[in-house]
Structures are given as structure tokens and as C-alpha cells.
Amino acid sequence: MQILEKAPAKINLSLDVLYKRADGFHEVEMVMTTVDLADRIELTLLQSGDIKVESESRFVPNDERNLAYRAAKLLKDRFQVKEGVKIFIEKNIPVAAGLAGGSSDAAAVLRGVNRMWNLGLSMDELADLGAEIGSDVSFCVHGGTALATGRGEKVKALPAPPPCWVVLSKPTIGVSTQTVYQRLDLKKAEHPDTEAMVHSLKKGDYRGICSHVGNTLEGVTLGLHEEVGQIKEQMKQAGADAVLMSGSGPTVFCLVEHDARAQRIYNSLKGFCTEVYMVRMLGYQETS
Ligand code: ATP
């Protein structure tokens, strides 16, 4: 028996860090949406009871460090499942890029093994279980567009943004989320207007969305890696409607309404950056 699941990347239309909590996590407010840049997850039933992970990507661990492995293990242990699963990950989302690739793989495995092992869990139940694996997994279980609060695990669905192009570019540097949070000075950092972003989405107001993109973590990563600022500048000069870093970076994305302009931005970045993608927003929940 084989099951295929699509695991799309997410971008943060806005990301605000409110304060550091007593448990060490940061309280956040994030507006996230999925884009059509996705890993492909192929699940094969294993009667032996083993959980195996395979991938052609050298950046992805193939043992219990893989979030996809942890997702299968969580359901297997919690519901005392005898069968196992082989998880093949076709990695298309850049790794450690601020696009929640690992979380999306884990979410896809939760959805897929729920079907494969006939567990009958609802999407909400899977999202709750996902929070035990990582803060972004709950959002990724549903996909679409949502406001995520708490440490990211409290997810409220929002309407999809109006259709547009998203051009993404990842400089060839690694960014540690932990380092970015450690260097964050909440008093000096910029805080996006989450309410205005949510309002713009509810109204389907593309211009409003573009003028309210913001990311509290961006200033920190910009200070560490000048490449991030260079890509932002290039996108702005080429006529993007909105430009922002996703998550803790280093991927920068821009929103563009017009096809020809999106293509121009893509081409101009391709010249000096190897990882560039031009994709559509998914926006709606297509994963249930
Ligand atoms: P986030 O924005 O949620 O921090 P990210 O996009 O920055 O996510 P990921 O691509 O999820 O980061 O990878 C972060 C780390 O997680 C990598 O260094 C990698 O070794 C590890 N990892 C574990 N499982 C996976 C997976 N299935 N795909 C990619 N990376 C994984």
C-alpha cells in the first residue's frame, strides 16, 4: 500500500515576537500562508513495524532526528500501531531556510499515516499532536492561510490572499533560528501590525496585505548576513509589490501581481543566486 502527500512550504506574511515566556519559548503572532513549492512524501506500509526514512537530499537526516520520522513514531506509540512505514522524502523545499520544510514533512506524514493505519483522527486532532513535534507543525497540518499564536501552535484559519506570484530566493548561507532569537532585542525590534494584516486578508485587499508585511526577526538576520539585504534591494528595484524575509531567514520572498514583472524579478535574481523559485500562493486549505 502506498500513499502520496504534498508538503508545501510556508511563508510568513507577518511575524511578530511579543515577549519571552517563563518556559523559554517566545510568544508570537504570525500570519502564515502556503506556497506552491512543495516536498513530495511517499509512504509505503511496512508490515515489519519499522519506521524508515529515505531521501536523495544530503541535507536531510534519515534517522530519528528527521521530523517526519518523529511524526510517524508519535502516532505509532500513542495508538499502539503494529505496522510500520517507509517514508520517502523528495526534497524540493530549501532546508533550514525559514520555510518550515521539516514541519511540513512531519505534517504530511501525520495526515498520510492517519489514513494508512486507519486511525480516524480529525485534522484538529492531528494538529494538536503536531504541536508535540514542533511549533509550526500544527499550521502545516491544515495548510492554507492562518493566524498562529502562542508559540505558533494555536492556529486560526484566515481567508486566502488574492492570487499573486511569489518569488523566493535563498542565499547560500545557513541561519540558526536559535542564534537569531538570542540576538533579538525586543525593545529595538520592529513590530508588524498583525491586526491590519488580518483585516486586509479578510477584505481581500492585496495592497493592504503588501503594505503590512513585516517580520520582527528580519533586522537581526540582516545584521548578520548582508546577502539578505542585497536580495531585498534587488527585488525592490525590480518592482516587487512587497518584500520580506520569511521566518528567521535567510529566504527572502516578494509578492508580485503581474506575470511579466514576476518573471523579470526571477530572471534578475537567477543571475547571482542559485536558489530562486517563482510560484503561486496556495492560500486555501488543500490538504484535508
Ligand atoms: P523553521 O522555519 O520551522 O525553523 P526551517 O525551514 O528554517 O524551519 P527546516 O528546513 O525545517 O528549517 O530544517 C531545519 C533543520 O531540521 C535542518 O537543519 C535539518 O537537519 C532538520 N530536519 C529534520 N527533519 C527534516 C526534514 N524532514 N526536512 C528538512 N530538514 C529536517
Side-chain angles (χ1 to χ4, degrees), residues 59 61 65-67 89 91 94-103 105 136 177:
F59 302 112
R65 287 170 302 166
N66 198 303
L67 298 183
I89 303 173
K91 198 81 202 158
V95 177
L99 299 172
S103 302
D105 292 351
D136 286 343
T177 305

Side-chain angles (χ1 to χ4, degrees), residues 203-233:
K203 291 224 146 188
D205 172 7
Y206 178 72
R207 293 290 143 192
I209 292 167
C210 289
S211 54
H212 291 108
V213 298
N215 180 347
T216 301
L217 302 175
E218 193 179 67
V220 182
T221 311
L222 278 173
L224 291 170
H225 303 285
E226 61 178 11
E227 296 91 328
V228 175
Q230 286 164 355
I231 293 175
K232 282 196 74 176
E233 203 44 49

